[in-house]
Amino acid sequence: MIKVDIRKAFDSVQWTFIRSMILCLNFPEQFTNWIMGCISTTWFTLRINVSFHPKCARLSLTHLIFDDDLMVFVRGDVPSAMVVALTLEAFSKVSGLFANGDKTNIYFGGMTDAVKKDIMSQT
């Protein structure tokens, strides 16, 4: 699993990219305007289903990541990790959003140390 932290997401995003992506996904114009208003103004309130997930209520856990984080699950091999790295690079070029290397982490499970080192050196 790779947890990607987007560097200064709000300050670096290209608003035209966001609008184009929403429209390409065939969302209605009114919905697109609402989203653009929410993300491009300095003040707004949005409250949707703010409650604990049934399996997280005991921990008082409402969410696992924030709006500038991205969770990517990948097969535990070098080619799969490289596809993710190249995809993030291409995404950065079109969106203006870049991964913050200091806050991005790779979590391994059930892998040999050799494979872990290989993935880390390649990415």
Side-chain angles (χ1 to χ4, degrees), residues 27-88:
F27 283 99
E29 183 71 27
Q30 181 63 44
F31 178 81
T32 302
N33 292 337
W34 289 340
I35 296 299
M36 294 307 296
C38 286
I39 64 174
S40 62
T41 60
T42 57
W43 188 90
F44 63 90
T45 300
L46 180 64
R47 186 175 186 167
I48 300 174
N49 195 22
V50 180
S51 61
F52 299 121
H53 183 278
K55 303 238 182 223
C56 300
R58 186 172 54 86
L59 300 172
S60 300
L61 184 64
T62 58
H63 55 282
L64 298 175
I65 60 174
F66 294 92
D67 58 352
D68 63 348
D69 292 329
L70 175 65
M71 299 288 276
V72 181
F73 294 88
V74 62
R75 194 172 303 138
D77 57 35
V78 173
S80 298
M82 288 304 299
V83 167
V84 170
L86 293 171
T87 301
L88 287 172

Side-chain angles (χ1 to χ4, degrees), residues 1-9 65-66 68-71 98-107:
M1 178 185 73
I2 304 169
K3 190 212 59 91
V4 180
D5 180 84
I6 304 297
R7 182 184 313 136
K8 298 183 182 179
I65 60 174
F66 294 92
D68 63 348
D69 292 329
L70 175 65
M71 299 288 276
F98 295 89
N100 180 346
D102 294 334
K103 294 183 179 180
T104 295
N105 300 295
I106 298 178
Y107 299 93

